């Protein structure tokens, strides 16, 4: 079988007449197969299209072991610390680029499937933040999103978090979004938790698959963010998978196996979208049939019985 390969390119858009550099990782056997699902890889602070090149072996491992299906992965250089922001004055629009321009170009250039069910976002740190905020705003465009160590703040408003959750300010970023000169309205408009809350109906209606994780020893306290978003999704009764990885930090050796796990999860979601559900397990059907009369009776007194997630009492 052919090995995977990297292709580099540049995409000219209205705000970047010199072109936006990007990289594409094509799976083994690309030329003889397809069309393939499309995964947009959003890097963290300080990254570029080279981040996908450097992470190539992570995805190749998943293909070699059969833990993930072949997909086309793509990564665009959107600035080292852009936070995937559409700037208020229009000087750049990275969110719209990721949501619209980039996938449109990739679909016209490579053998990828056009539907939302075959399109996913995978992001780390700043890219985890970007992937969540974009997917939550545009669930009609993406079938799945996987975010590792998303970096922002735990809260709906710019005033909700304290200095514990401002450590990431040291890295910099758009001053309208990061730091003491931030625009609170812009922060809230780009906040993944706010977008999940305000767009919950559409996220549920489109069946967006969500994967969220962080290490619990994160030097930037990104685990506070992941936990908060997890609780928001729980309270909104939005189905998701959540991992809090014991002892893992924001960077370091834990990132490789965690990225593999997230990619494997994405692959399973994309594979199910392609193959369809093979039918529910007989044991599951039996259990649900057994419990259903009790559920219906309980729902008469407690409507929360019909939710996926319970309405829990405060932990303190």
């Amino acid at each position: 079988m052919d090995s995977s390969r990297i292709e580099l390119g540049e995409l000219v858009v209205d705000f970047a007449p010199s072109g936006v550099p990007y990289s594409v990782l094509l799976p083994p056997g690309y030329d003889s197969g397809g069309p393939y699902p499309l995964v947009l890889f959003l890097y963290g602070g300080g990254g570029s299209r080279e981040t996908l090149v450097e992470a190539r072996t992570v995805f190749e491992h998943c293909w070699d072991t059969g833990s993930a299906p072949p997909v086309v992965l793509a990564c665009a250089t959107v600035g080292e610390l852009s936070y995937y922001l559409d700037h208020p004055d229009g000087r750049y629009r990275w969110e719209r680029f990721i949501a619209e321009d980039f996938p449109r170009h990739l679909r016209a250039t490579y053998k990828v499937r056009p539907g939302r069910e075959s399109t996913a976002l995978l992001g780390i740190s700043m890219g985890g933040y970007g992937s969540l905020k974009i997917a939550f705003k545009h669930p009609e465009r993406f079938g799945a999103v996987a975010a590792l160590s998303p970096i922002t703040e735990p809260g709906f408003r710019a005033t909700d978090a304290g200095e514990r959750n401002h450590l990431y300010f040291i890295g910099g970023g758009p001053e309208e979004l990061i730091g003491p000169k931030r625009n609170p309205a812009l922060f809230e408009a780009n906040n993944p938790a706010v977008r999940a809350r305000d767009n919950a109906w559409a996220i549920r209606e489109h069946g967006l698959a969500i994967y969220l994780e962080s290490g619990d020893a994160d030097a930037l306290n990104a685990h506070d963010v992941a936990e908060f978003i997890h609780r928001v999704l729980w309270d909104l009764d939005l189905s998701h998978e959540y991992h809090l990885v014991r002892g893992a930090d924001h960077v370091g050796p834990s990132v490789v196996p965690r990225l593999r796990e997230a990619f494997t999860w994405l692959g399973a979601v994309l594979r199910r979208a392609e193959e369809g559900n093979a039918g529910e397990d007989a044991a599951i059907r039996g259990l649900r049939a057994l419990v259903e009369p009790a559920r219906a009776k309980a729902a008469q007194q407690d409507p929360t019985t019909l939710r996926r997630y319970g309405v829990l009492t405060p932990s303190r």
Side-chain angles (χ1 to χ4, degrees):
M1 180 181 288
D2 298 334
S3 62
S4 68
R5 71 175 186 268
I6 289 281
E7 293 191 357
L8 304 179
E10 292 185 351
L11 175 58
V12 174
V13 289
D14 53 1
F15 66 93
S18 61
V20 178
Y22 67 84
S23 59
V24 176
L25 176 60
L26 302 176
Y30 170 82
D31 292 323
S32 58
Y36 301 92
L38 173 63
V39 177
L40 303 182
F41 182 52
L42 278 57
Y43 56 77
S48 70
R49 70 179 180 181
E50 293 300 316
T51 306
L52 176 58
V53 179
E54 295 163 0
R56 176 179 183 173
T57 56
V58 173
F59 306 115
E60 289 179 329
H61 173 85
C62 294
W63 290 330
D64 291 344
T65 61
S67 60
V71 305
V72 170
L73 282 135
C75 177
T77 299
V78 301
E80 289 187 356
L81 290 161
S82 71
Y83 279 82
Y84 300 89
L85 179 68
D86 284 353
H87 197 278
D89 67 10
R91 74 181 73 167
Y92 52 76
R93 48 171 188 79
W94 293 122
E95 176 178 331
R96 197 169 129 203
F97 176 85
I98 294 295
E100 299 179 17
D101 304 276
F102 198 31
R104 181 169 57 242
H105 171 73
L106 294 167
R107 287 167 182 149
T109 308
Y110 296 94
K111 296 190 292 182
V112 295
R113 299 192 188 99
R116 60 166 294 278
E117 298 87 355
S118 299
T119 310
L121 290 162
L122 170 62
I124 300 177
S125 188
M126 179 185 77
Y129 159 84
S131 65
L132 288 175
K133 74 167 185 168
I134 293 171
F136 290 169
K137 185 174 181 179
H138 304 282
E140 77 285 355
R141 296 179 181 271
F142 301 97
V145 57
L148 290 76
S149 303
I151 192 67
T152 179
E153 294 157 42
F156 291 110
R157 295 167 294 277
T159 56
D160 286 346
E163 291 308 304
R164 169 184 170 86
N165 298 115
H166 292 163
L167 296 176
Y168 75 107
F169 284 8
I170 62 174
E175 65 176 11
E176 299 86 355
L177 191 67
I178 307 297
K181 296 182 180 180
R182 68 166 25 151
N183 179 333
L186 185 68
F187 170 82
E188 293 169 27
N190 283 269
N191 187 335
V194 171
R195 291 187 175 188
R197 181 193 65 193
D198 294 348
N199 213 24
W201 182 88
I203 293 170
R204 186 179 300 107
E205 183 72 10
H206 288 287
L208 177 69
I210 303 166
Y211 181 100
L212 176 66
E213 72 94 77
S214 182
D216 77 347
D218 192 292
L220 299 176
N221 295 321
H223 48 297
D224 293 2
V225 178
E227 176 68 19
F228 179 74
I229 294 174
H230 159 60
R231 295 186 186 193
V232 169
L233 296 175
W234 181 288
D235 290 344
L236 292 169
D237 209 27
L238 292 174
S239 179
H240 62 287
E241 186 158 338
Y242 176 51
H243 296 247
L244 188 61
V245 185
R246 181 177 182 272
D249 209 325
H250 200 74
V251 296
S254 75
V255 173
V256 168
R258 289 160 58 196
L259 183 56
R260 284 177 183 165
E261 186 171 357
F263 186 59
T264 298
W265 178 89
L266 270 182
V269 172
L270 294 169
R271 183 179 280 138
R272 284 196 299 270
E274 176 185 0
E275 300 175 352
N277 293 324
E280 196 174 60
D281 181 84
I284 296 176
R285 291 198 305 271
L287 175 61
R288 290 194 170 271
L290 179 65
V291 173
E292 186 54 37
R295 285 174 57 88
K297 183 177 180 180
Q300 294 175 3
Q301 298 181 11
D302 181 3
T304 69
T305 304
L306 302 181
R307 287 171 50 97
R308 177 184 293 266
Y309 303 131
V311 178
L312 306 179
T313 57
S315 60
R316 61 176 182 178

